[in-house]
Amino acid sequence: MRLSIRHQTRYTYDSPVLYSIQQIRLTPNSAPTQFVANWDLSVPGKLNTSLDAYGNTLQTLVLTRPITEMTFTATGEVETTPLQDGRLLEGPGRIPLEHFTCTTPLTEVDPAILDLANGMGDLKSPSSLVNLAQTIRGKVAYQTGSTEVTGTAAEALAQGKGVCQDHAHLFIACCRARNLPARYVSGYLETSNAPEIGEQAASHAWVDVWLEDCGWISVDVTQGQFASEQYCRLAVGRDYAAAAPLRGMRVGGGNETLSVDVSVQVVVKSF
């Protein structure tokens, strides 16, 4: 299917920001399972574009003039293809698989996560990964606004609620506890078939897991299913911190107000 995507993020400040640097991962790459037909990114300044260590398109914005508002608008169309049992049809990639078995502060394994992971039996097939995702769904209810971006997998499991980012981090932590390479995916989801999470989750997160006999398997933990043609991939990393659509720092500005508007619609669906 072809997805039409619009993602606007606006920051406003009480007082002028004197200096700001932003790392932006809002431009998808074409891959075996998606083709970027067109894409435009509008930002309040000149971008420096490169690839990061994971192969994501990384664009850096540096502003040295006083500002009280920053708006980032990404728009475009991406053609996606269905995945058979979540298989991405690509090799291990430029990063050694062992890198994705290493814990991070957001995916650190505590005794409760270790018990959850060890209680899942065999995790060597795509269907067993979906079973893990559905188990996590049962333990961590989806609730918008229940956590912060700095929240950890252990905190989400302990409080029993979270958002897609928390589900992804907990799933990754469980996989790494079993020595399975797992990476965080940021991107977009066409939500017409996801009424339980609604349109606010169009900006989404899910997980890729490497299985020796299958390759990368893409799983949406929040919905307890394989990720397929409803998904547009933006970036991957060991966790949210490495794949966040926007990350930055500033000098000045006082209090910050953030507004985000994301729309993902089907333009063409193949039969």
Side-chain angles (χ1 to χ4, degrees), residues 161-210:
K161 57 185 177 182
V163 294
C164 57
Q165 174 186 308
D166 303 296
H167 289 153
H169 283 153
L170 180 53
F171 188 94
I172 289 169
C174 287
C175 289
R176 291 176 182 165
R178 299 287 297 271
N179 204 37
L180 287 175
R183 63 190 185 189
Y184 184 100
V185 187
S186 67
Y188 301 106
L189 168 64
E190 196 280 308
T191 61
S192 61
N193 293 319
E196 70 277 13
I197 62 176
E199 293 184 359
Q200 70 273 12
S203 180
H204 202 49
W206 59 100
V207 180
D208 295 337
V209 182
W210 180 266

Side-chain angles (χ1 to χ4, degrees), residues 24-46:
I24 306 164
R25 293 176 177 85
L26 283 172
T27 299
N29 293 332
S30 293
T33 57
Q34 69 180 32
F35 170 72
V36 182
N38 58 77
W39 198 262
D40 178 71
L41 178 60
S42 174
V43 304
K46 183 178 179 180

Side-chain angles (χ1 to χ4, degrees), residues 3-23:
L3 301 177
S4 176
I5 300 166
R6 183 179 186 275
H7 181 174
Q8 184 174 85
T9 300
R10 176 178 287 115
Y11 299 94
T12 56
Y13 303 96
D14 290 345
S15 60
V17 173
L18 304 179
Y19 173 86
S20 173
I21 181 170
Q22 299 288 331
Q23 290 189 327

Side-chain angles (χ1 to χ4, degrees), residues 46-258:
K46 183 178 179 180
L47 288 172
N48 177 47
T49 301
S50 62
L51 294 179
D52 69 12
Y54 298 99
N56 307 311
T57 295
L58 171 64
Q59 292 164 302
T60 304
L61 173 70
V62 178
L63 296 175
T64 57
R65 67 182 189 274
I67 57 170
T68 56
E69 179 182 300
M70 287 192 292
T71 301
F72 303 83
T73 305
T75 57
E77 293 187 351
V78 179
E79 295 180 0
T80 62
T81 58
L83 306 183
Q84 179 65 40
D85 290 339
R87 287 176 170 86
L88 287 179
L89 304 178
E90 62 182 56
R94 64 178 67 195
I95 302 293
L97 290 172
E98 290 78 12
H99 177 77
F100 296 105
T101 64
C102 299
T103 191
T104 68
L106 294 174
T107 62
E108 188 171 356
V109 175
D110 70 353
I113 292 176
L114 188 60
D115 287 346
L116 173 60
N118 288 338
M120 292 307 303
D122 184 7
L123 289 178
K124 296 182 179 180
S125 67
S127 60
S128 69
L129 298 178
V130 171
N131 185 37
L132 172 59
Q134 292 174 347
T135 299
I136 288 173
R137 286 182 67 198
K139 293 182 177 294
V140 181
Y142 181 87
Q143 184 174 321
T144 304
S146 58
T147 57
E148 302 291 336
V149 295
T150 55
T152 68
E155 290 168 348
L157 180 58
Q159 69 179 17
K161 57 185 177 182
V163 294
C164 57
Q165 174 186 308
D166 303 296
H167 289 153
H169 283 153
L170 180 53
F171 188 94
I172 289 169
C174 287
C175 289
R176 291 176 182 165
R178 299 287 297 271
N179 204 37
L180 287 175
R183 63 190 185 189
Y184 184 100
V185 187
S186 67
Y188 301 106
L189 168 64
E190 196 280 308
T191 61
S192 61
N193 293 319
E196 70 277 13
I197 62 176
E199 293 184 359
Q200 70 273 12
S203 180
H204 202 49
W206 59 100
V207 180
D208 295 337
V209 182
W210 180 266
L211 297 180
E212 193 63 35
D213 296 330
C214 304
W216 289 112
I217 304 297
S218 202
V219 180
D220 181 352
V221 189
T222 300
Q223 294 199 83
Q225 66 183 28
F226 297 117
S228 193
E229 72 269 29
Q230 301 96 336
Y231 298 75
C232 169
R233 304 166 66 86
L234 273 179
V236 301
R238 281 202 299 178
D239 59 16
Y240 169 83
L246 279 167
R247 291 192 73 196
M249 60 158 295
R250 59 185 168 92
V251 176
N255 293 325
E256 175 185 276
T257 301
L258 169 66

